[in-house]
Amino acid sequence: MTAAQTAVSAATVASPAAEPQKALRDSRPLRLITCGSVDDGKSTLIGRLLWDTKAVKEDQAATLQRDSTGKQNDLGLPDFALLLDGLQAEREQGITIDVAYRYFSTDKRSFIVADTPGHEQYTRNMATGASTADLAILLVDARFGILEQTRRHATIASLLGIKQFVLAVNKIDLTGYDRAGFDKVSHEFREFALSLGVKQITAIPMSALKGENVVYRGQGAMPWYNGPTLVETLELATVRSSQTVGFRLSVQRVSRPGESFRGYQGTVAGGSVKPGDSVMILPSGMVANVSKIVTFDLVRNAAVAGDAITLVLDRQVDVARGDMIVSIDAQPQVGLAFDAQIVALQPEGIEPGKRYWLKSGSRRQRVQVQPLSQLELKTGSWNAAQRLYMNAIGKVRLVFDEAAIFDPYEQNRLSGSFILIDPETNNTVAGGMVTGKRTELGGLHNGEGRVILSLPADLAEQIMASELFASRSHEADVRRMTAAEAADLWASAASDI
């Protein structure tokens, strides 16, 4: 421990617990975020975590002491938030704007923590941090309780698949360590979390500034609390599995260095694969076997989620960037319309019927977005909505011009997530999660009474060129089916005769 850290530890009211017995170290790092409303102490909490877990280097500690000059509190402690708030605007305003990632570890495991902003206008940055997290630390100021932004962040985190929450009731020292107030906040949040389907909640009263119940226990000030510290809770948390679906590889590049080699490059987004496995290429439906798995320096016997690989198949098939190679016995959903939940990220919001670019993995497609309902944060109810404005959380219908490929987000957050891009400005206007495939295809009615007709390409051209369609174009849209879809249609029709 540095001299600066020794001085700070002596100034805290928390006393280190006895040295815990060494345990087997979990090799999988836990990814987590801090979220919540403005000024609830997110950056201070992470700074304190870094300090007490000895993740702050000696030169960083000296810099922190120097930068904290004139900012010390009544206890003479440095401003721990400065360990996170690196942007000049953040330091000037005393707020978090961008997402800051930090690394720390204990004897039992390592952690990657994202400090996310609390201001409503930076909600998109919070969603970015939550998209890869296994656990959310939701901070609440003990003096003010659950606020609208608290509910918004909790909702976004749950929509992004986070099911482990730590409710950090911070600044408990400013309420005189009021147990009744802590119990009230804890009960209120648990009731709200049930409406989100979140059941795994650990509520901890703490003072991030003083370090009470963060790494060390604060029993001297809170003898009524016998639960775990924050670090103890994090050490026992679980990492989300990416094995809930079969093999998924979104093709990013076709590698053809010579006539004798053709490989399909990408990062495995789920499941595993080994040479000899049968796979399907979507959306074409072609089937092949895996011949070889290659990385930058060796040939692999297998690949799992997170591996960047080049996949070589045993036969020549038509595979392009944006296609997905999947397990033949555990395929994603392929269709023209899907239900999804989105978070609007730009002031202009989501316009009904407007066509956007949807990007998922390496695939980009045109899509029409039809808002269905919006979440009312105060009541937790979904109300009908014609348009979604900035920071709104809504349910929508996605209607595509060509076959789209998704897993439900609950099963795979990589193949079940997407962003929407405004083709006029190239701004990312929303982030979303697919909840399921819609079944009313072929003659799909949209929310405005229009009909979407899916037809073979040659027939679609004839229909669109006809005078009848020109006179009724306000009532219908025509999309061209791929060759594979048309073949499936005719095969299905023939089987019914």
Side-chain angles (χ1 to χ4, degrees):
M1 183 184 298
T2 66
Q5 286 173 306
T6 302
V8 170
S9 295
T12 65
V13 299
S15 57
E19 183 71 19
Q21 185 178 358
K22 296 277 186 178
L24 291 176
R25 183 179 178 86
D26 193 328
S27 61
R28 301 166 300 174
L30 182 76
R31 302 185 71 100
L32 59 132
I33 62 165
T34 56
C35 53
S37 193
V38 181
D39 293 331
D40 283 348
K42 295 178 291 295
S43 298
T44 299
L45 174 61
I46 299 181
R48 188 78 214 203
L49 266 174
L50 298 175
W51 191 275
D52 285 349
T53 57
K54 313 301 184 291
V56 180
K57 307 295 185 187
E58 187 171 352
D59 58 337
Q60 292 176 312
T63 301
L64 177 63
Q65 293 284 7
R66 183 197 65 207
D67 292 348
S68 297
T69 302
K71 296 183 179 181
Q72 273 88 352
N73 46 67
D74 295 339
L75 298 173
L77 300 177
D79 186 353
F80 292 115
L82 295 179
L83 290 171
L84 282 298
D85 293 338
L87 298 178
Q88 183 176 354
E90 291 178 322
R91 294 194 170 201
E92 289 175 349
Q93 300 177 52
I95 63 173
T96 299
I97 297 175
D98 202 359
V99 181
Y101 293 92
R102 294 293 184 269
Y103 307 85
F104 68 98
S105 62
T106 66
D107 291 336
K108 295 183 179 180
R109 81 186 311 172
S110 57
F111 305 90
I112 304 173
V113 57
D115 182 30
T116 63
H119 281 70
E120 185 174 344
Q121 70 187 94
Y122 302 122
T123 297
R124 57 186 178 273
N125 293 348
M126 177 270 162
T128 299
S131 63
T132 58
D134 305 301
L135 177 146
I137 303 174
L138 186 69
L139 278 87
V140 176
D141 190 320
R143 298 169 296 176
F144 307 127
I146 307 295
L147 304 176
E148 180 174 326
Q149 189 71 339
T150 313
R151 295 187 179 92
R152 177 177 287 109
H153 279 193
T155 302
I156 293 173
S158 68
L159 291 179
L160 289 168
I162 298 176
K163 299 304 180 186
Q164 302 173 97
F165 279 76
V166 174
L167 180 67
V169 184
N170 192 28
K171 305 184 183 182
I172 193 75
D173 52 313
L174 300 183
T175 67
Y177 301 98
D178 179 22
R179 180 177 184 177
F182 166 74
D183 290 340
K184 179 181 177 182
V185 171
S186 177
H187 177 73
E188 181 181 351
F189 179 73
R190 289 180 189 277
E191 285 194 336
F192 176 74
L194 284 176
S195 68
L196 303 176
V198 176
K199 299 179 181 178
Q200 191 171 341
I201 304 166
T202 303
I204 304 175
M206 68 176 62
S207 170
L209 179 63
K210 294 183 177 181
E212 297 169 323
N213 289 335
V214 180
V215 174
Y216 304 123
R217 292 190 175 276
Q219 287 182 329
M222 290 171 280
W224 45 266
Y225 177 72
N226 297 315
T229 64
L230 176 60
V231 161
E232 289 171 344
T233 303
L234 298 180
E235 288 176 337
L236 296 175
T238 57
V239 176
R240 290 206 299 191
S241 173
S242 56
Q243 307 295 327
T244 56
V245 296
F247 173 67
R248 302 286 185 266
L249 179 75
S250 181
V251 178
Q252 298 176 359
R253 182 173 180 267
V254 178
S255 175
R256 192 78 187 277
E259 291 295 326
S260 61
F261 184 91
R262 182 193 298 268
Y264 308 104
Q265 299 178 332
T267 300
V268 180
S272 61
V273 69
K274 61 184 185 300
D277 286 353
S278 295
V279 295
M280 178 177 287
I281 294 88
L282 295 176
S284 69
M286 296 293 293
V287 176
N289 297 320
V290 176
S291 172
K292 189 186 301 183
I293 301 171
V294 182
T295 62
F296 73 98
D297 61 346
L298 50 83
V299 176
R300 299 275 294 271
N301 293 324
V304 298
D307 291 342
I309 63 171
T310 299
L311 205 65
V312 181
L313 304 179
D314 67 344
R315 67 198 68 176
Q316 297 291 335
V317 293
D318 184 12
V319 182
R321 172 180 167 83
D323 288 353
M324 186 176 288
I325 303 176
V326 305
S327 302
I328 198 168
D329 57 349
Q331 300 174 27
Q333 297 177 348
V334 180
L336 300 176
F338 287 83
D339 287 330
Q341 295 179 338
I342 66 173
V343 180
L345 303 176
Q346 294 291 340
E348 60 269 23
I350 301 297
E351 300 178 26
K354 181 173 179 177
R355 294 165 65 82
Y356 296 91
W357 283 113
L358 181 145
K359 190 173 188 305
S360 178
S362 56
R363 191 174 182 85
R364 192 175 77 157
Q365 298 175 264
R366 284 283 194 180
V367 67
Q368 186 183 78
V369 182
Q370 301 166 1
L372 301 175
S373 60
Q374 179 176 334
L375 178 64
E376 174 56 52
L377 292 171
K378 292 183 179 179
T379 63
S381 61
W382 292 90
N383 301 326
Q386 297 297 318
R387 180 167 180 165
L388 301 175
Y389 293 94
M390 184 172 178
N391 293 328
I393 299 169
K395 294 180 179 179
V396 300
R397 179 182 303 157
L398 305 174
V399 181
F400 294 87
D401 292 341
E402 57 186 20
I405 308 166
F406 290 107
D407 285 298
Y409 187 84
E410 284 288 329
Q411 297 179 12
N412 189 314
R413 59 176 159 178
L414 295 177
S415 56
S417 61
F418 60 87
I419 59 172
L420 295 176
I421 302 170
D422 190 326
E424 299 173 3
T425 63
N426 285 326
N427 288 333
T428 300
V429 296
M433 298 72 66
V434 169
T435 55
K437 174 182 173 182
R438 296 190 68 86
T439 58
E440 61 269 29
L441 303 182
L444 175 67
H445 290 262
N446 66 20
E448 300 174 345
R450 295 170 65 87
V451 175
I452 299 174
L453 300 175
S454 297
L455 301 171
D458 54 350
L459 182 57
E461 295 292 344
Q462 296 178 35
I463 293 293
M464 295 174 67
S466 68
E467 294 183 3
L468 175 62
F469 180 80
S471 65
R472 307 294 293 271
S473 60
H474 63 285
E475 299 178 10
D477 292 318
V478 175
R479 63 164 294 277
R480 300 168 181 81
M481 300 175 69
T482 65
E485 291 173 330
D488 289 343
L489 177 64
W490 298 130
S492 176
S495 65
D496 292 338
I497 296 176

